Amino acid sequence: MELKVDRITKQYGSKIAVDRMNLTLGKGVTGLLGANGAGKTTLMRMMCGILTPTSGEITYDGHLVTSEEYRNVLGYLPQDFGYYPEFTGRDFLMYFCALKGLDKKVAKERTTEILELVGLKEVAKEKVKKYSGGMKQRLGIGQALINRPEILILDEPTAGLDPKERVRFRNLINELGKDSIVLLSTHIVSDIEHIAENIVMMRKGQIIWQGKWEEKDGSLEEFYLKEFEQED
């Protein structure tokens, strides 16, 4: 289980969003840290096969991320995820099950499992428009889990969540990371400090530090703020 980014560059005209990046991810949670505009979303969209790199390639166990084999094991929650406000939570997940090609019986079983997993069982019959921001984020994660993904990519999933929802979310991600590759993008250090086995820090399209934070001394947040104080 290895997701490999090999000398990836993404350029828009004269602007380089991701610059000759190399990165290898294995099972567990990896936190992707960086200020807004660092290139995190561009990188993740390339890792999902949505954007095509200007140069380089991304593979998972030898399969290109544009292949059907890869899409079948990928779960993705973009930063701006669209919802159907008149759908109930259950209907919303059933709809995505249909898009994934699950038959009705399997879809019902999987939807029930996911609602339980993300803590939305009690509000499954309520319309999405009545959900709080945290509940919508958990529903978004739920749709990303429908195909039991081996790779889960989450772009700024905790933005706008209250402290209680953040804790619930971190506990969920911690569990998911036990059996899959999870890449979690954020600019909030506390969201990943206690759940990410590995940390990757980006600035201006490049990785400026990566590794296991437990191998370093001091506070991750202090280190991060020092590295990015010039971004303010």
Side-chain angles (χ1 to χ4, degrees):
M1 186 176 281
E2 185 176 84
L3 182 59
K4 187 173 182 180
V5 175
D6 185 17
R7 294 169 293 177
I8 283 294
T9 293
K10 183 61 179 179
Q11 188 167 352
Y12 299 96
S14 61
K15 177 180 172 57
I16 299 177
V18 175
D19 188 10
R20 295 166 294 174
M21 181 177 292
N22 292 297
L23 179 65
T24 300
L25 301 180
K27 186 183 293 186
V29 180
T30 295
L32 181 60
L33 279 170
N36 291 330
K40 303 189 304 296
T41 294
T42 299
L43 172 64
M44 297 176 99
R45 286 171 67 83
M46 288 192 289
M47 293 173 85
C48 291
I50 298 170
L51 289 178
T52 302
T54 304
S55 62
E57 67 177 18
I58 306 175
T59 57
Y60 174 65
D61 288 350
H63 297 289
L64 290 171
V65 296
T66 52
S67 68
E68 189 67 29
E69 291 88 348
Y70 180 75
R71 285 192 291 269
N72 287 338
V73 297
L74 172 69
Y76 175 49
L77 176 63
Q79 187 172 357
D80 298 310
F81 185 72
Y83 299 89
Y84 296 96
E86 295 299 324
F87 278 28
T88 66
R90 181 177 294 279
D91 289 343
F92 182 85
L93 291 177
M94 285 291 292
Y95 171 71
F96 272 87
C97 283
L99 293 180
K100 293 283 187 179
L102 277 64
D103 65 47
K104 194 168 183 179
K105 183 179 183 227
V106 174
K108 284 182 177 179
E109 293 173 352
R110 186 61 181 146
T111 292
T112 298
E113 290 174 1
I114 290 172
L115 288 167
E116 181 75 35
L117 180 64
V118 299
L120 293 175
K121 182 180 178 181
E122 301 302 319
V123 293
K125 295 182 180 179
E126 291 187 17
K127 291 185 176 181
V128 175
K129 66 182 180 182
K130 295 183 178 179
Y131 282 13
S132 68
M135 291 160 69
K136 288 178 180 176
Q137 289 296 74
R138 281 185 274 144
L139 187 65
I141 293 171
Q143 64 78 28
L145 298 177
I146 286 170
N147 59 332
R148 305 181 191 276
E150 296 176 14
I151 305 111
L152 184 60
I153 296 179
L154 308 169
D155 191 359
E156 296 280 358
T158 61
L161 301 192
D162 63 36
K164 184 178 179 180
E165 286 286 3
R166 289 190 126 82
V167 172
R168 186 197 297 266
F169 177 82
R170 289 198 295 264
N171 290 340
L172 174 60
I173 297 306
N174 193 42
E175 285 299 312
L176 294 172
K178 293 178 180 178
D179 299 309
S180 57
I181 295 172
V182 178
L183 180 62
L184 169 59
S185 161
T186 185
H187 60 278
I188 303 169
V189 177
S190 60
D191 285 344
I192 62 170
E193 190 165 16
H194 302 296
I195 62 170
E197 292 90 342
N198 298 292
I199 302 292
V200 176
M201 294 187 185
M202 284 185 68
R203 182 198 288 132
K204 296 180 180 178
Q206 295 184 325
I207 294 175
I208 61 168
W209 188 86
Q210 63 177 306
K212 296 183 181 294
W213 183 255
E214 61 196 38
E215 297 173 357
K216 293 181 68 66
D217 296 324
S219 161
L220 173 60
E221 187 160 12
E222 289 177 0
F223 177 78
Y224 173 74
L225 290 174
K226 182 179 179 181
E227 287 294 320
F228 288 91
E229 59 186 3
Q230 61 181 305
E231 302 284 329
D232 298 333

